[in-house]
């Protein structure tokens, strides 16, 4: 438990910072990219899955995300990702909106982030959050821990965090700001963001997995 709390504090520290109304990922124009590949099956810690179904976690066993009996209707929904550069020349096209199919999918950051030092913002749009009676955002890390200077980056393999409160605060502001120096952004974002919105007995779900095909050693083995 102590190690889990330490990992949570370390990981969340990279999402800290003052939230502002502008500019962040909220810009007037984006280059639109549509990814139509269906999402792959993901192994989700049971405790994380229970949080997304808005029930109390029962144990720490893993399952593939679809097991168990639920009284709710699970509906896979669409989600979009925004990548907007803070420093010039970081994001291909400066500002991108990446639309993913129902259920979400995978974003290979090596396709969209240039090999330069600088910062960019990450934002998400999950329309089902509107008018939802309950909302959850869970992050499951797929990034190995590594030390850069006196800081540890990456939360480790299959560590999960309920980031709902921090997430909604960040999305109202500038979004999640990350830096590309020594690929810090990959260690912070490397993993899967799960989105869950409850409306009556319907639970709308989507996920976004960030990876980099050019830097596989920074990520956990599948």
């Amino acid at each position: 438990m102590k190690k889990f709390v330490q990992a949570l504090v370390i990981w969340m520290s990279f999402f800290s910072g003052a939230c502002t109304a502008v500019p962040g990922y909220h810009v007037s124009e984006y280059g639109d990219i549509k990814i139509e590949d269906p999402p792959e099956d993901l192994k989700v810690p049971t405790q994380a899955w229970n949080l997304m179904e808005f029930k109390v976690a029962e144990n720490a066993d893993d399952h593939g995300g679809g097991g168990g009996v639920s009284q709710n209707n699970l509906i896979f929904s669409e989600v979009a990702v925004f990548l907007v550069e803070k420093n010039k020349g970081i994001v291909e096209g400066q500002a991108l909106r990446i639309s993913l199919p129902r259920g979400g999918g995978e974003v290979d950051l090596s396709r969209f982030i240039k090999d330069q030092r600088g910062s960019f913002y990450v934002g998400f749009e999950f329309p089902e959050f509107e008018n939802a009676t309950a909302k959850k955002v869970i992050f499951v890390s797929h990034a190995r821990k590594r030390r850069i200077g006196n800081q540890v980056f990456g939360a480790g393999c299959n560590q999960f965090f309920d980031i709902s409160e921090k997430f909604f605060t960040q999305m109202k502001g500038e979004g999640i700001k990350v830096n590309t120096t020594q690929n810090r952004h990959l260690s912070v974002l490397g993993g899967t963001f799960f989105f869950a919105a409850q409306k009556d007995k319907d639970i709308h779900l989507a996920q976004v997995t960030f990876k980099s095909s050019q830097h596989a050693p920074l990520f956990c083995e599948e």
Side-chain angles (χ1 to χ4, degrees):
M1 181 64 180
K2 183 178 179 181
K3 290 183 178 179
F4 174 82
V5 173
Q6 290 174 336
L8 175 60
V9 171
I10 291 171
W11 186 83
M12 287 298 289
S13 68
F14 297 113
F15 277 55
S16 63
C19 292
T20 59
V22 291
Y25 80 95
H26 303 280
V27 297
S28 58
E29 294 183 0
Y30 303 92
D32 284 308
I33 294 175
K34 190 169 184 178
I35 296 178
E36 297 182 344
D37 297 333
E40 296 182 0
D41 291 335
L42 295 172
K43 188 176 183 181
V44 184
T46 297
Q47 289 169 305
W49 184 260
N50 286 339
L51 287 172
M52 288 186 282
E53 287 196 284
F54 305 97
K55 23 181 222 188
V56 177
E58 297 174 355
N59 55 61
D61 295 332
D62 290 341
H63 64 71
V69 177
S70 173
Q71 296 179 349
N72 297 305
N73 302 313
L74 303 181
I75 301 172
F76 294 109
S77 303
E78 296 177 348
V79 63
V81 179
F82 300 86
L83 304 176
V84 178
E85 63 184 30
K86 174 178 172 60
N87 301 116
K88 188 174 181 179
I90 299 299
V91 176
E92 292 283 355
Q94 301 180 355
L96 298 176
R97 174 172 48 213
I98 304 172
S99 300
L100 298 168
R102 291 187 179 276
E106 190 174 85
V107 175
D108 184 350
L109 290 169
S110 64
R111 291 180 53 192
F112 309 112
I113 306 302
K114 297 181 181 179
D115 188 17
Q116 292 188 171
R117 293 182 179 182
S119 297
F120 67 97
Y121 300 99
V122 182
F124 300 88
E125 183 180 66
F126 185 54
E128 297 301 336
F129 278 149
E130 186 174 354
N131 300 322
T133 55
K135 309 173 186 178
K136 278 289 182 186
V137 182
I138 307 295
F139 178 76
V140 180
S141 172
H142 303 152
R144 299 178 185 274
K145 289 184 179 181
R146 62 188 177 113
R147 183 172 292 277
I148 302 176
N150 61 355
Q151 289 185 303
V152 175
F153 286 77
C157 301
N158 297 317
Q159 297 290 330
F160 75 92
F161 312 95
D162 181 348
I163 63 170
S164 303
E165 183 176 351
K166 185 67 176 179
F167 175 88
F168 290 117
T169 300
Q170 294 283 53
M171 292 305 111
K172 289 178 182 177
E174 64 186 12
I176 301 170
K177 185 172 74 172
V178 290
N179 188 274
T180 63
T181 304
Q182 294 182 273
N183 293 311
R184 285 171 167 82
H185 66 298
L186 298 180
S187 294
V188 174
L189 297 173
T192 302
F193 289 78
F194 289 95
F195 306 94
Q198 187 170 30
K199 298 180 180 181
D200 295 324
K201 286 195 173 183
D202 293 336
I203 296 180
H204 298 263
L205 299 169
Q207 57 90 2
V208 176
T209 297
F210 289 109
K211 60 172 284 187
S212 173
S213 56
Q214 294 181 357
H215 300 91
L218 297 180
F219 297 84
C220 306
E221 295 181 2
E222 296 182 0

